[in-house]
Amino acid sequence: MKGKKFQRFIKRIFDIVVSLIVLLVFLPVWIIVSVLIKATSKGPVFFLQERPGLNKQIFKVYKFRTMKPGSDNMIKGQEVMKDDDRVTAIGKLLRRTKIDEIPQVLNVLKGEMSLVGPRPERIASLADYDDEISKRLNMSPGMTGLAQVSGNIYLSLEDRYKFDVYYVEKFSIWLDLRIILRTVGVVLLGEDRYVNKCLVDINHGGKEVAATKEETAEK
C-alpha cells in the first residue's frame, strides 16, 4: 500500500512537470490552432464539457473544438470516426495528431486529470456503471490511457472499460511510462496501427504483452 502511495506521489509530480513543459513549449501552437479554428468555422475555440473525475467529482474538461457547433450530441459509447461529417476540416487534423487534447494539461495542473488514466466519460454514462466499472473512477482520468493505446475507437465500450479497470487495479509508474511511449506511436502512426496490439491481454487475466521491443522498432 505504501508503495502505491509513493508511486501516486511520483505520478503527480511527473504530471505537473510535464504539463508545465507542454504548456510552455506548445504555446505558439495554441495561438496558431486558435486562429485556424476561428478562421475556418463558426463557434468558440475551446470545447468545454462536464465530465466525472476521481470519485465522481464533476469537472469541465478542456479541448480545442474540432466539431461544428451543436454536433456534440452523441450516442452513448459511439466514437467519432475519421469520416464523421460533424468534424471540421481543421478538426480532422487536430484529432489525428491529438493536438485537440493539449488544453487538458490545464486540467492536469488543476489536479482534475492526470497524463495517464481512464478517459473521462460523459456524465450520462454513470447511470450504467456497476460496481466493477465504477472502479475506473478510483483514479483521476487521463489525457491518454491503456484503452487509448490499444485500439481506442476500434474497441467495444465493454473492452474499453476492462482496460480502464485493469489500469486502476495494476497501476504502476512503469505501466504509465509504457502507455506514454505507446501514445507517441499512436500519434505518429495512428490508432488503427495498434488494433490487436494491446499492452495487456484483458481476456487472459490481464497478462502483460511483452511488446516493448516491437513498439520501439515501429517508432
Side-chain angles (χ1 to χ4, degrees), residues 30-177:
W30 285 56
I31 297 173
I32 294 172
V33 170
S34 298
V35 171
L36 289 175
I37 291 175
K38 292 299 291 185
T40 57
S41 66
K42 296 180 180 180
V45 170
F46 296 102
F47 173 74
L48 280 68
Q49 190 174 65
E50 291 188 335
R51 301 288 176 92
L54 177 64
N55 299 323
K56 296 185 180 181
Q57 293 295 313
I58 306 301
F59 70 99
K60 288 186 178 181
V61 67
Y62 306 121
K63 295 181 65 174
F64 281 121
R65 181 175 60 84
T66 60
M67 302 178 73
K68 301 170 185 176
S71 299
D72 58 312
N73 294 321
M74 298 168 55
I75 300 175
K76 183 170 53 182
Q78 177 180 315
E79 294 290 341
V80 178
M81 305 304 285
K82 293 180 180 179
D83 58 350
D84 197 309
D85 59 9
R86 296 172 298 174
V87 180
T88 64
I90 185 65
K92 292 180 180 179
L93 175 62
L94 297 180
R95 282 177 172 270
R96 168 61 186 82
T97 58
K98 304 300 182 183
I99 291 177
D100 65 315
E101 309 279 356
I102 291 179
Q104 289 170 27
V105 295
L106 298 175
N107 292 118
V108 175
L109 289 172
K110 291 168 66 178
E112 298 166 335
M113 292 182 64
S114 177
L115 294 176
V116 181
R119 286 296 295 160
E121 289 200 304
R122 290 171 176 249
I123 295 176
S125 299
L126 294 176
D128 293 332
Y129 279 24
D130 56 21
D131 290 341
E132 181 69 11
I133 298 173
S134 293
K135 292 178 182 178
R136 69 191 304 278
L137 300 171
N138 291 339
M139 289 192 72
S140 296
M143 292 180 64
T144 186
L146 192 54
Q148 283 63 49
V149 299
S150 301
N152 197 20
I153 62 176
Y154 301 97
L155 295 172
S156 67
L157 182 60
E158 179 183 6
D159 280 346
R160 291 202 296 274
Y161 285 156
K162 287 181 179 179
F163 278 114
D164 288 341
V165 172
Y166 175 92
Y167 172 79
V168 172
E169 293 182 334
K170 306 293 185 180
F171 159 72
S172 69
I173 295 297
W174 171 238
L175 181 56
D176 271 20
L177 291 176

